[in-house]
Amino acid sequence: KAGVTQTPRYLIKTRGQQVTLSCSPISGHRSVSWYQQTPGQGLQFLFEYFSETQRNKGNFPGRFSGRQFSNSRSEMNVSTLELGDSALYLCASSNGQGSSTDTQYFGPGTRLTVL
Amino acid sequence: AQSVTQLGSHVSVSEGALVLLRCNYSSSVPPYLFWYVQYPNQGLQLLLKYTSAATLVKGINGFEAEFKKSETSFHLTKPSAHMRDAAEYFCAVSASGYSTLTFGKGTMLLVSP
C-alpha cells in the first residue's frame, strides 16, 4: 500500500507571495492532519480534515488555511508569506475513526523556504 | 490539555550500549502515547504506541517503551544501539484516537562507533 505523498518536496518563495501544498493520504484514510516543524517551535499542529470538513484547528493565524477533497486529498495554503513561515510542513493521514488502532502516518514533508 | 517533556535535546551513546530516551507527559484524560523517529530530510516514522493495553509496548527496530502512570512517563529504550539508530526521536501524546498529536521538542540520538 502506498504511503502518504506530499508535493512538492521543496519550495522557495518570497515574502508576500502565497503557496499551496498538496497531500495525498494512504488509500482508505479519511483524515488528514497538517503540522509545521521549525527548529525553534518544534512540531506544531495546524489543522485536521475529515470527510472534507475541518475537524480540529491549531493556533495559527488565518493566513494558514486548508481544504480536503472528496478523494481525501488535502491542500494547505499560506497567503502573504512571512520569513517565519519557513519550515518543514508535514502531512499525516489516518482512518480518523478514533479507535485504539487508529494511527497517524506521516509523509516526507514539504520544505518551504521564504526569502 | 496535553503536553510532553523530553529530557535532553541530545543523547550520545556508543554502539552496543543501552539507549534510554526520556519522555514525561501531562494529560487530563487517559492518554495515547507515541514515539516517532525522524531521519534527516524525511518525515516521521512510527516506532510504537500505547493505547491503554499492555504497559510495556514493543515497537520496530528493537525499541520498546513502558507506560508508568504513577510517574507520568513513557521512556523509550533499546538494549543495544546501532549506528543506524542515529536520528531524532519524538514523543507525542493525544487524548484519544480522534485527537491531534502534541509533540515533545525531540531528542537527537548520536551513536558513536
Side-chain angles (χ1 to χ4, degrees):
Chain A
K1 193 183 261 192
V4 179
T5 58
Q6 294 186 244
T7 56
R9 291 292 312 277
Y10 300 91
L11 209 46
I12 299 175
K13 292 286 187 180
T14 56
R15 280 182 299 174
Q17 287 187 310
Q18 66 112 22
V19 67
T20 299
L21 312 182
S22 180
C23 172
S24 293
I26 292 170
S27 178
H29 282 185
R30 296 166 63 192
S31 169
V32 173
S33 297
W34 289 88
Y35 294 83
Q36 181 195 64
Q37 185 178 23
T38 60
Q41 299 299 316
L43 282 152
Q44 294 184 286
F45 170 72
L46 281 155
F47 30 66
E48 182 219 1
Y49 286 85
F50 178 78
S51 293
E52 302 179 66
T53 301
Q54 188 179 86
R55 186 162 68 174
N56 286 296
K57 187 179 189 303
N59 188 26
F60 276 80
R63 300 185 297 106
F64 292 82
S65 62
R67 59 177 175 168
Q68 186 179 35
F69 302 94
S70 58
N71 62 358
S72 293
R73 188 177 71 85
S74 176
E75 290 180 346
M76 68 163 281
N77 184 79
V78 187
S79 62
T80 319
L81 283 165
E82 301 177 358
L83 294 178
D85 298 332
S86 294
L88 180 67
Y89 290 89
L90 292 164
C91 159
S93 79
S94 69
N95 64 40
Q97 300 301 317
S99 70
S100 61
T101 58
D102 198 8
T103 300
Q104 291 192 31
Y105 295 92
F106 284 80
T110 294
R111 172 77 62 186
L112 172 64
T113 301
V114 182
L115 303 176
Chain B
Q2 292 80 42
S3 66
V4 174
T5 301
Q6 291 185 241
L7 295 175
S9 59
H10 291 79
V11 169
S12 294
V13 299
S14 299
E15 195 171 19
L18 171 72
V19 175
L20 171 60
L21 304 182
R22 300 178 187 274
C23 172
N24 289 89
Y25 71 91
S26 172
S27 179
S28 56
V29 297
Y32 287 4
L33 293 160
F34 307 81
W35 276 100
Y36 284 87
V37 61
Q38 186 176 35
Y39 298 99
N41 298 315
Q42 295 188 26
L44 301 176
Q45 179 182 11
L46 179 70
L47 278 177
L48 49 81
K49 67 176 184 179
Y50 166 79
T51 57
S52 76
T55 56
L56 182 62
V57 182
K58 293 189 183 298
I60 62 171
N61 301 339
F63 285 94
E64 64 182 35
E66 185 172 9
F67 172 71
K68 292 187 177 180
K69 184 178 179 180
S70 61
E71 298 176 9
T72 61
S73 69
F74 190 57
H75 301 332
L76 182 71
T77 60
K78 181 175 180 177
S80 177
H82 194 277
M83 296 294 289
R84 63 174 173 260
D85 296 326
E88 190 159 22
Y89 292 79
F90 293 91
C91 181
V93 63
S94 73
S96 72
Y98 288 115
S99 296
T100 62
L101 293 171
T102 300
F103 286 91
K105 292 291 188 183
T107 297
M108 184 69 71
L109 177 65
L110 307 169
V111 183
S112 57

